[in-house]
Amino acid sequence: MKPVKRIKDILKSTAPEDSLLVRGWVRTRRDAKDFSFIELGDGSSVANLQLILPKGIIEADTFKDINTGTALEVEGELAPSQGKGQKWELLVKEIRVLGPAGPDYPLQKKRHTDEYLREIAHLRPRTNKYGALLRIRSEAAFAIHTFFRERGFYYVHTPIITGNDCEGAGELFQLITPGPGAACGLHPQAPLKTLAEDFFGKPASLTVSGQLEAEILAHGLTAVYTFGPTFRAENSNTPRHAAEFWMIEPEAAFMDLSGDMDLAEDMVKSVLTQITSGCTEDLELFDKFVSEGLLLRLEELKKKDYTRISYKEAIEILSSAEASFDFMPLYGSDLQTEHERYLTETHFQGPVFVYDYPKTIKPFYMRINDDNQTVAAMDLLVPRVGELIGGSQREERYDVLVSRMKELGLKPENYWWYLDLRRWGGTPHAGFGLGFERLLMLVTGIGNIRDVIPFPRTPGNLEF
Amino acid sequence: MKPVKRIKDILKSTAPEDSLLVRGWVRTRRDAKDFSFIELGDGSSVANLQLILPKGIIEADTFKDINTGTALEVEGELAPSQGKGQKWELLVKEIRVLGPAGPDYPLQKKRHTDEYLREIAHLRPRTNKYGALLRIRSEAAFAIHTFFRERGFYYVHTPIITGNDCEGAGELFQLITPGPGAACGLHPQAPLKTLAEDFFGKPASLTVSGQLEAEILAHGLTAVYTFGPTFRAENSNTPRHAAEFWMIEPEAAFMDLSGDMDLAEDMVKSVLTQITSGCTEDLELFDKFVSEGLLLRLEELKKKDYTRISYKEAIEILSSAEASFDFMPLYGSDLQTEHERYLTETHFQGPVFVYDYPKTIKPFYMRINDDNQTVAAMDLLVPRVGELIGGSQREERYDVLVSRMKELGLKPENYWWYLDLRRWGGTPHAGFGLGFERLLMLVTGIGNIRDVIPFPRTPGNLEF
């Protein structure tokens, strides 16, 4: 079975072809007197290839098998289309059914709800919408790799299984290895091996971030980034949270908070530019059926300067806003979703960096500013999605870091290697985390994280 | 702090520069009468930038801090070098110590053992060898993305946390979520939440392969590939096994076993071509210090046709070999490492695909051949590394798949969605898995998997 041309490329043909082999799945079939019209798709584009199938070249039995969902191999003549709506069509000479689909096929030609499609996540990649999403997802990943590579950032793999991250124990997935002979579907109350016998000889959990290890690598290679899965065992059912999601975490030596914001803004704009030029047809689908005005909004995100305000200014703006918030904007508290929306959607009507947060609401590793009250942290808030990026300059001063750890009740000896980075050849350095699924929600206008990841993991959902 | 030129690019300069800002770490310092010579590296290349530091432009106290490992920011004039070994050197006008390194810095200028460096994995990215490895690792990942993208394969993310894969329960890491208020370092014998209360409402483990889900996606997009972490809780301490490693798993509809082998061979050759042209200097280091003859061997791997033999032929060759094996080559048994080595290193002296294995030693999803005894499986064996790739054509016939499951004691209802792919629009399809770390061992000649991954996870090792 030799590879054949993809339909996306066939549709771009510049000349007819006498004999062309195509493979794909039937999207629709419409029967006329002497011909059947079949729309054939192979997942390479929203647009299908129209097949003209003359009556009589196939057996009735085979014909019966050609329904929405059927996999076909077709040979024919590629000719300029007589009909409207497409430039080319394929006049079928031979047709082979590779895998039929009966009338019970769950994806008939009609609009299905997102909820229904989540239940058949093994079939939804065959729909126009999820096909388009998956192509954009692939292109977005490549755009991210391209952006960082061109800037001299090296792609690194930080560990998934970790013995660190002791801070948020309640939000961690912990690991066990079943004893010898344990059956599949081990019940959590079944007897487990003792700690000493356990695989790693100490408690292990799934990473919530590769940052600490990325800092190690940035002190070798100057500039690195991760792109890998991260996990939260948070039992929250919201449209923006998943238990398993992919993060991109650049980290660079010799970079301060201002450089960190420059990098984040450049990255978002560069990635959007690559996606809007590489996935035009797919984005048009989302503009038309999912989020009206999407394309215009993406153009603005590519052009606009992103506003930068301190946390203090943000609180001032919110405090004097003529809006009724459920939560009062208070200096020293986290910004709530309603506050983020007000800043980005009402006040600035565009992306906003908020920087210099009170140290009381931020973790130990962020660099203390000269006021000794705030840290060099930044969040990038965007309309509709909220927090897209969170980053900071890291505390590079050994003594300051140690006293900050003690202040927060952390044991410095658990962070011996992290402190070593400050003992020898430490540098001012910074980085951020971008949630890949959040980026895709921004790019496609899809409102639920469950619909931008092929097989979402959320509380109670572990199918597929 | 504005980004500055990387040393790799400075060394390629075509003209002098009056004023150039550079940042990096001191590799060595050598003092002469009026000058000090400092080799400065920033992780962008094996070669360093030579700094000429006139005595007297800095305080004695600062000078004392400039040792191997110290982080510096330097301004000076880029001029043609007076010495040999480098084209350019930097005549220092200003120098700032960003992070000193005292004489207790663990990476002094001498050769360290791999074992020692594994214990200080937070510092080893600063060495020439691991810097080169990490740059090659990054370039190899990009080469893989480039290869598949150019061929119309979409990058997909299959889930890390899974409820499937019930077959090898003993080799799975299982997940638990601690109850509310559980402390970090939960002891596995501490009381756990009951199954019904657990996060997903059913047993969860870490994936050993994204294949089954990739098959879903290939039936939507025709051709996809994963690139993500996979896990084995196998308690084996060998130089080729890690508990956590990265895999690339392409999967394509309308592809048979022969196309699968074509794809694997093209991929290996294309990736090697991109790495050897993009990482020449780094590979030279490995050729010189780690594995003599490496560059020549890589050239051969790019040019040679890879031999293809059936498992039956492989057993015949091994049976008539004039070699004394610890394990007799027996039809119906797995090939042992010594057999793989004989085939690739002695008999064929190059890569070998072995295909059509007895079904008794292969999993349920591989396609049964017409002889009803063998399956359409293939392994790519390479000299020194052994099995680099394992793949197969998948069983697309619903009835054959169901009876194979029953034969093996699997419950078809646990695979309802996998079977659905065969109910509607099924296709002949195939794919393979490439161990990313195995590929890096092949490319660099490094003999231990612990030295091609930044923070290896093996039994008893969970530091960093």
Side-chain angles (χ1 to χ4, degrees):
Chain A
M1 235 175 170
K2 294 277 162 211
V4 299
K5 243 192 203 173
R6 302 296 296 274
I7 286 173
K8 173 183 69 177
D9 300 319
I10 293 173
L11 295 174
K12 285 186 213 143
S13 295
T14 51
E17 283 196 57
D18 278 352
S19 177
L20 186 70
L21 193 65
V22 193
R23 299 183 192 118
W25 291 270
V26 176
R27 304 300 185 209
T28 60
R29 187 188 99 188
R30 187 166 55 81
D31 298 329
K33 192 161 165 279
D34 300 319
F35 298 92
S36 284
F37 299 92
I38 295 170
E39 295 283 324
L40 195 77
D42 69 355
S44 64
S45 63
V46 174
N48 299 311
L49 177 64
Q50 176 157 287
L51 311 181
I52 313 289
L53 176 67
K55 289 266 156 83
I57 74 160
I58 52 169
E59 309 275 331
D61 255 18
T62 309
F63 189 68
K64 197 171 51 60
D65 278 341
I66 303 178
N67 302 306
T68 297
T70 294
L72 293 181
E73 181 173 64
V74 182
E75 226 176 311
E77 182 193 338
L78 187 73
S81 177
Q82 309 293 315
K84 41 190 174 177
Q86 65 274 328
K87 201 174 150 198
W88 298 101
E89 60 192 20
L90 194 83
L91 312 171
V92 176
K93 291 174 188 161
E94 274 193 63
I95 190 163
R96 280 174 294 278
V97 171
L98 298 176
D104 57 341
Y105 181 55
L107 289 175
Q108 294 304 322
K109 190 184 163 61
K110 63 164 190 170
R111 200 118 176 231
H112 299 286
T113 65
D114 290 335
E115 289 73 19
Y116 172 70
L117 291 169
R118 276 174 219 150
E119 282 166 26
I120 51 167
H122 63 308
L123 300 176
R124 69 177 185 176
R126 305 175 180 199
T127 65
N128 276 339
K129 179 168 151 187
Y130 290 90
L133 178 268
L134 289 167
R135 287 188 294 273
I136 292 172
R137 196 176 161 108
S138 177
E139 190 66 11
F142 194 77
I144 284 162
H145 285 300
T146 304
F147 171 80
F148 284 113
R149 185 167 181 266
E150 283 173 358
R151 303 208 154 209
F153 282 68
Y154 296 97
Y155 179 37
V156 296
H157 293 108
T158 50
I160 310 301
I161 303 178
T162 172
N164 312 321
D165 301 325
C166 282
E167 280 65 52
E171 296 184 7
L172 295 181
F173 287 106
Q174 304 218 4
L175 291 179
I176 50 173
T177 45
C184 170
L186 174 80
H187 191 288
Q189 286 186 331
L192 302 175
K193 303 171 87 176
T194 64
L195 187 59
E197 284 170 342
D198 208 35
F199 194 88
F200 294 111
K202 65 183 216 179
S205 57
L206 295 185
T207 187
V208 296
S209 161
Q211 177 203 317
L212 303 194
E213 289 92 354
E215 287 184 54
I216 290 177
L217 296 158
H219 281 81
L221 302 172
T222 295
V224 302
Y225 68 104
T226 71
F227 190 155
T230 50
F231 305 86
R232 297 283 185 288
E234 217 174 325
N235 201 337
S236 62
N237 258 305
T238 86
R240 300 195 303 168
H241 293 88
E244 172 179 316
F245 56 98
W246 286 68
M247 274 234 282
I248 294 100
E249 297 184 277
E251 187 75 31
F254 316 114
M255 186 163 83
D256 56 18
L257 189 69
S258 145
D260 205 26
M261 289 191 273
D262 293 344
L263 183 71
E265 185 168 341
D266 288 355
M267 182 198 66
V268 172
K269 288 176 173 172
S270 160
V271 167
L272 291 183
T273 301
Q274 183 164 335
I275 299 173
T276 48
S277 82
C279 301
T280 317
E281 189 204 23
D282 293 322
L283 287 172
E284 279 164 3
L285 181 149
F286 288 102
D287 187 83
K288 202 165 161 189
F289 296 113
V290 173
S291 182
E292 216 192 304
L294 177 73
L295 289 173
L296 257 174
R297 291 200 304 277
L298 293 178
E299 285 311 307
E300 276 176 23
L301 288 174
K302 280 154 59 178
K303 279 183 225 144
K304 257 193 184 152
D305 278 337
Y306 298 180
T307 309
R308 298 183 188 192
I309 56 170
S310 71
Y311 169 87
K312 192 161 162 275
E313 291 170 272
I315 293 293
E316 282 161 10
I317 291 169
L318 292 166
S319 300
S320 56
E322 287 180 29
S324 62
F325 295 121
D326 290 337
F327 294 86
M328 278 274 288
L330 268 183
Y331 190 95
S333 303
D334 268 322
L335 296 183
Q336 301 292 322
T337 305
E338 56 181 345
H339 304 148
E340 296 175 355
R341 295 195 73 146
Y342 179 82
L343 290 172
T344 57
E345 291 168 23
T346 308
H347 193 86
F348 290 109
Q349 298 182 16
V352 183
F353 283 105
V354 180
Y355 60 87
D356 285 353
Y357 283 81
K359 68 176 179 182
T360 46
I361 55 170
K362 291 289 181 186
F364 74 95
Y365 51 75
M366 296 187 175
R367 194 177 196 278
I368 304 278
N369 288 324
D370 289 346
D371 61 14
N372 202 26
Q373 297 302 318
T374 60
V375 288
M378 63 89 167
D379 286 338
L380 176 60
L381 312 176
V382 294
R384 290 160 183 256
V385 171
E387 185 191 326
L388 181 67
I389 283 173
S392 68
Q393 187 171 340
R394 323 305 187 182
E395 186 56 77
E396 88 280 15
R397 295 161 297 183
Y398 188 94
D399 297 340
V400 180
L401 185 57
V402 169
S403 34
R404 183 89 174 111
M405 283 175 170
K406 288 183 179 162
E407 200 176 300
L408 293 171
L410 303 174
K411 291 186 187 144
E413 59 268 32
N414 288 345
Y415 297 87
W416 65 272
W417 53 265
Y418 192 69
L419 285 165
D420 269 7
L421 301 180
R422 281 76 181 166
R423 270 178 81 184
W424 297 300
T427 68
H429 64 289
F432 63 78
L434 164 74
F436 188 53
E437 281 76 18
R438 292 268 175 99
L439 175 70
L440 290 170
M441 290 169 77
L442 178 73
V443 169
T444 60
I446 289 177
N448 196 313
I449 198 168
R450 290 164 182 78
D451 300 327
V452 294
I453 187 162
F455 308 102
R457 268 56 177 123
T458 54
N461 288 310
L462 190 61
E463 201 60 63
F464 308 106
Chain B
M1 235 175 170
K2 295 276 161 211
V4 299
K5 241 192 205 176
R6 303 295 298 272
I7 287 175
K8 173 184 69 175
D9 299 319
I10 294 174
L11 295 175
K12 285 187 212 143
S13 295
T14 51
E17 283 196 57
D18 278 351
S19 176
L20 186 70
L21 192 66
V22 193
R23 301 185 191 116
W25 291 269
V26 176
R27 304 300 187 209
T28 60
R29 187 187 99 187
R30 187 166 54 84
D31 299 328
K33 192 160 163 279
D34 301 319
F35 298 92
S36 283
F37 300 93
I38 295 170
E39 295 283 325
L40 194 78
D42 69 355
S44 63
S45 63
V46 174
N48 299 311
L49 177 64
Q50 176 157 285
L51 312 181
I52 311 289
L53 176 66
K55 288 262 156 84
I57 73 158
I58 51 169
E59 309 275 333
D61 256 19
T62 309
F63 190 67
K64 199 171 50 58
D65 277 342
I66 303 177
N67 302 306
T68 296
T70 294
L72 293 180
E73 180 173 63
V74 181
E75 226 176 309
E77 183 193 338
L78 187 74
S81 177
Q82 309 294 314
K84 42 189 175 176
Q86 65 275 327
K87 200 174 152 201
W88 299 101
E89 60 193 19
L90 193 83
L91 312 171
V92 177
K93 291 173 188 162
E94 275 193 63
I95 191 162
R96 280 174 292 278
V97 171
L98 299 176
D104 56 342
Y105 182 55
L107 288 174
Q108 295 302 323
K109 192 185 159 66
K110 63 165 192 170
R111 197 112 178 237
H112 299 286
T113 65
D114 291 334
E115 290 73 17
Y116 172 70
L117 290 170
R118 274 173 221 151
E119 283 166 25
I120 50 167
H122 63 309
L123 300 175
R124 69 176 184 176
R126 305 173 180 202
T127 64
N128 277 339
K129 179 169 152 186
Y130 290 90
L133 179 268
L134 289 167
R135 287 188 294 274
I136 291 171
R137 196 176 162 107
S138 177
E139 189 66 10
F142 194 77
I144 285 163
H145 285 300
T146 304
F147 171 80
F148 283 114
R149 186 167 180 267
E150 283 173 358
R151 301 207 158 212
F153 282 68
Y154 297 97
Y155 178 37
V156 295
H157 293 107
T158 49
I160 310 301
I161 302 179
T162 172
N164 312 321
D165 302 325
C166 282
E167 280 65 56
E171 296 184 6
L172 295 182
F173 287 108
Q174 303 219 5
L175 290 179
I176 50 173
T177 44
C184 173
L186 173 80
H187 191 288
Q189 288 185 331
L192 302 175
K193 302 172 86 178
T194 63
L195 185 60
E197 284 168 343
D198 208 36
F199 194 89
F200 294 111
K202 64 182 216 178
S205 57
L206 295 185
T207 187
V208 296
S209 160
Q211 178 204 316
L212 303 195
E213 289 92 354
E215 287 184 55
I216 289 177
L217 296 159
H219 280 81
L221 301 172
T222 295
V224 300
Y225 68 104
T226 71
F227 190 155
T230 49
F231 305 85
R232 298 280 186 285
E234 216 174 325
N235 202 338
S236 62
N237 259 305
T238 86
R240 299 195 303 166
H241 291 90
E244 172 180 319
F245 55 98
W246 286 67
M247 274 233 282
I248 294 101
E249 297 183 277
E251 187 75 32
F254 315 115
M255 186 163 82
D256 57 17
L257 190 69
S258 146
D260 205 27
M261 290 191 273
D262 292 344
L263 182 70
E265 183 167 344
D266 287 355
M267 182 201 64
V268 172
K269 288 177 172 171
S270 160
V271 167
L272 292 182
T273 301
Q274 183 165 334
I275 299 173
T276 47
S277 81
C279 301
T280 318
E281 187 204 25
D282 292 322
L283 287 172
E284 277 163 4
L285 181 148
F286 289 101
D287 186 83
K288 203 165 162 189
F289 296 112
V290 174
S291 181
E292 215 191 304
L294 177 73
L295 289 173
L296 257 175
R297 290 200 305 276
L298 293 178
E299 286 311 307
E300 276 176 22
L301 288 175
K302 279 153 59 177
K303 276 183 226 145
K304 253 190 187 158
D305 279 336
Y306 298 0
T307 309
R308 299 183 186 191
I309 56 170
S310 71
Y311 169 88
K312 191 161 163 272
E313 291 170 272
I315 293 293
E316 283 162 11
I317 291 169
L318 293 166
S319 301
S320 56
E322 285 180 30
S324 63
F325 295 121
D326 291 339
F327 293 85
M328 277 274 288
L330 266 184
Y331 189 95
S333 302
D334 267 323
L335 297 184
Q336 301 291 323
T337 304
E338 57 181 343
H339 304 148
E340 296 176 354
R341 297 195 71 144
Y342 179 84
L343 290 172
T344 58
E345 292 167 25
T346 310
H347 191 87
F348 291 108
Q349 298 182 17
V352 183
F353 282 104
V354 180
Y355 61 88
D356 286 353
Y357 284 80
K359 68 175 179 181
T360 46
I361 54 171
K362 291 289 181 186
F364 74 94
Y365 52 74
M366 296 186 174
R367 193 178 197 281
I368 303 279
N369 288 323
D370 290 344
D371 61 14
N372 202 24
Q373 298 302 317
T374 60
V375 287
M378 62 91 167
D379 286 338
L380 175 60
L381 313 175
V382 294
R384 289 160 184 257
V385 172
E387 186 190 325
L388 180 67
I389 283 172
S392 68
Q393 186 172 338
R394 322 306 186 184
E395 184 56 76
E396 88 280 13
R397 295 162 297 183
Y398 187 95
D399 297 341
V400 180
L401 185 57
V402 169
S403 36
R404 183 87 174 112
M405 284 177 169
K406 290 183 176 161
E407 198 176 302
L408 293 170
L410 303 174
K411 290 186 187 145
E413 58 269 31
N414 289 345
Y415 298 86
W416 65 272
W417 54 265
Y418 192 70
L419 285 166
D420 269 6
L421 300 180
R422 281 77 181 164
R423 269 177 80 184
W424 296 301
T427 68
H429 64 289
F432 63 78
L434 163 74
F436 189 52
E437 281 75 20
R438 292 269 174 97
L439 175 71
L440 290 169
M441 291 170 76
L442 177 73
V443 168
T444 59
I446 289 178
N448 196 314
I449 197 167
R450 290 164 182 77
D451 301 327
V452 293
I453 188 162
F455 308 101
R457 269 55 180 126
T458 54
N461 288 310
L462 191 61
E463 201 60 64
F464 310 107

